[in-house]
Amino acid sequence: MCIDAQMLSAYLDGELAEPYRTQVKEHLEHCPACRHHLEDMREIGDRIRSTEYPSQMLDRNKDRILSVLDAKYFQNGRKVGFFRRRLEVSLPSLVTAAAAVVFIFIGSFMFFGTSDEQTGEILPSFAVQAGNGSVRYVSDAASLDNFTLEEILHYLDSKGYNVDISIKGLQPLDTSIPAAESAE
Amino acid sequence: MEIKSTDRDDFRRVYDADYHLLVQVIMHIVYNLEIAEDLTQEAFERFYVKNMTFPSEEDARYWLIRVAKNLALNHIRRNKREIEMVEKVKRMPSAAADEKDGASEAIERENREEVRRAIDALPENLRLVIQLKEFSGLDYKSISKVLGISETNVKVRVFRARKKLEEVLRGDERDVY
């Protein structure tokens, strides 16, 4: 029986352990087919290695690059300190971090609000000006929100308007009775 | 002997011993000397910046080959489009270039092209193993350390790569003759 091709491949690389190596060697002596196969594999290897790039080509900048690295890292006996290390952060994580900072900043106002005492703690000189007493809301004017529906209807009624109110899904109301009832 | 990557003498020793191998390995992935040199420099910079201690010179070498290989593969992936365009231009028949080369050089270049095509056609996991085997002179054990796979796996991959190359390269011959 002939040798498994994988074993032959390992034999070619000198990586076959004993006792297999001796067995393969003996087999090769009297098996032209396996010898031929081994030769083929060796040839392929030779061909691949023949595409190796020559030393003078690969090493043309060896000294130059070494001197660049030497100047960059070793002259003046410099060592890489913690802050000199290159910090690599991927873009997504950077965006996430930025979003988190913004969220926490806004969130702190949303959840805890601000008060005189807090402002006083943080910025005492500003607290006096920003105290509740000295802050006047700009839109203090009366709006419809300040009246109940009843008052509005009364007002409109007194002005002679005929108001018809209906609530979706319910039967239309008869607004000829005083509107006050329908408001309830 | 222990190797400290930020020690000047150690760094020099490793650089001297492995520079050639790294350029060779990267060259067979990127096929461009300027880029191979840049990436080799990058690999040594990382070696220094990581400030690591290796139990032996070999371990430093395995680490460096791994980094160099990854840098080269990343480069290929990132610049796929650009590289394809350059290749296209290169493959265009250029009479001037052919005349300039001697006959033996032309044959050598042809062989190189053919082997390169055959190797490029291999799946990545086989390609790297056979390249490391043939170009770096590393044994199975070392390759397994570089790639982080088992020795048996290396053995199998080397064999599979050979088998495929045999099919492709010998098939070519049959076509030609």
Side-chain angles (χ1 to χ4, degrees):
Chain A
M1 209 181 88
C2 273
I3 296 158
D4 172 49
Q6 193 176 308
M7 252 176 140
L8 216 51
S9 160
Y11 177 81
L12 177 65
D13 292 330
E15 301 262 1
L16 203 57
E18 292 291 3
Y20 307 107
R21 187 170 40 201
T22 320
Q23 286 171 11
V24 170
K25 208 173 166 190
E26 278 167 9
H27 176 86
L28 283 171
E29 271 164 25
H30 63 261
C31 178
C34 285
R35 250 192 338 257
H36 189 69
H37 194 182
L38 186 70
E39 260 330 293
D40 275 358
M41 283 202 276
R42 204 192 303 271
E43 208 177 290
I44 298 262
D46 288 345
R47 266 187 91 179
I48 296 173
R49 271 191 304 278
S50 75
T51 65
E52 215 168 287
Y53 294 95
S55 287
Q56 76 266 29
M57 175 185 170
L58 294 186
D59 292 348
R60 58 170 194 178
N61 280 325
K62 186 175 178 180
D63 297 336
R64 192 184 60 78
I65 292 176
L66 179 61
S67 59
V68 168
L69 291 173
D70 197 56
K72 190 165 174 187
Y73 295 121
F74 292 109
Q75 271 161 33
N76 317 323
R78 222 197 292 159
K79 292 255 178 201
V80 241
F82 178 76
F83 291 104
R84 285 196 165 276
R85 289 196 184 189
R86 213 165 358 144
L87 188 63
E88 286 178 7
V89 185
S90 69
L91 190 61
S93 57
L94 201 66
V95 170
T96 315
V101 169
V102 171
F103 179 76
I104 291 169
F105 183 74
I106 293 175
S108 65
F109 286 101
M110 274 172 55
F111 293 123
F112 304 111
T114 51
S115 67
D116 280 357
E117 301 90 72
Q118 272 179 357
T119 321
E121 273 171 34
I122 300 164
L123 279 174
S125 62
F126 182 66
V128 184
Q129 301 163 39
N132 277 346
S134 45
V135 174
R136 198 161 45 81
Y137 288 103
V138 179
S139 69
D140 209 18
S143 81
L144 282 180
D145 290 345
N146 299 346
F147 300 96
T148 64
L149 187 56
E150 195 180 331
E151 284 168 328
I152 294 167
L153 290 172
H154 268 300
Y155 176 77
L156 289 172
D157 196 41
S158 70
K159 289 283 178 189
Y161 290 100
N162 186 17
V163 185
D164 191 19
I165 286 191
S166 66
I167 295 174
K168 218 176 163 186
L170 294 178
Q171 288 201 330
L173 287 163
D174 184 4
T175 42
S176 62
I177 357 170
E181 272 179 43
S182 66
E184 285 178 5
Chain B
M1 203 189 100
E2 211 172 66
I3 293 285
K4 195 162 165 29
S5 72
T6 45
D7 179 272
R8 194 176 188 169
D9 292 335
D10 285 357
F11 186 91
R12 257 171 195 274
R13 186 178 301 117
V14 171
Y15 184 91
D16 258 338
D18 298 337
Y19 177 90
H20 181 86
L21 178 57
L22 293 197
V23 189
Q24 183 84 260
V25 168
I26 297 175
M27 255 315 256
H28 281 96
I29 300 176
V30 302
Y31 300 111
N32 176 316
L33 189 54
E34 279 82 31
I35 293 168
E37 284 168 346
D38 281 353
L39 294 177
T40 305
Q41 179 174 347
E42 173 78 31
F44 278 109
E45 294 208 21
R46 289 194 184 195
F47 176 70
Y48 177 87
V49 171
K50 282 272 178 185
N51 193 3
M52 300 205 291
T53 306
F54 296 91
S56 73
E57 225 178 300
E58 281 71 40
D59 287 289
R61 177 173 307 134
Y62 304 150
W63 188 90
L64 276 166
I65 297 175
R66 186 160 61 236
V67 169
K69 171 210 89 179
N70 289 340
L71 285 173
L73 288 177
N74 282 342
H75 173 86
I76 291 289
R77 283 185 200 123
R78 252 184 243 140
N79 302 296
K80 206 164 185 171
R81 229 191 153 88
E82 216 172 290
I83 289 165
E84 271 165 16
M85 269 174 46
V86 172
E87 283 305 303
K88 226 183 222 169
V89 174
K90 264 195 198 160
R91 291 230 171 103
M92 280 201 288
S94 143
D98 278 345
E99 264 174 53
K100 214 166 54 190
D101 284 333
S104 65
E105 259 178 81
I107 290 169
E108 196 209 294
R109 214 186 45 215
E110 208 165 284
N111 175 48
R112 190 183 282 279
E113 276 292 304
E114 199 185 328
V115 172
R116 179 183 157 178
R117 267 200 302 277
I119 288 185
D120 280 353
L122 292 175
E124 193 178 294
N125 60 346
L126 299 186
R127 193 171 66 218
L128 283 172
V129 173
I130 193 75
Q131 285 181 327
L132 284 178
K133 175 70 219 149
E134 300 296 357
F135 297 128
S136 67
L138 296 179
D139 58 11
Y140 289 178
K141 197 174 175 185
S142 309
I143 296 175
S144 83
K145 282 189 181 161
V146 170
L147 297 177
I149 57 179
S150 75
E151 241 180 285
T152 317
N153 210 330
V154 174
K155 185 168 81 182
V156 173
R157 287 190 197 183
V158 166
F159 166 66
R160 286 199 188 137
R162 275 194 181 130
K163 206 168 139 195
K164 289 214 172 186
L165 289 175
E166 234 173 319
E167 282 163 20
V168 175
L169 291 174
R170 301 203 75 80
D172 267 18
E173 267 172 39
R174 263 201 296 280
D175 285 348
V176 173
Y177 301 116

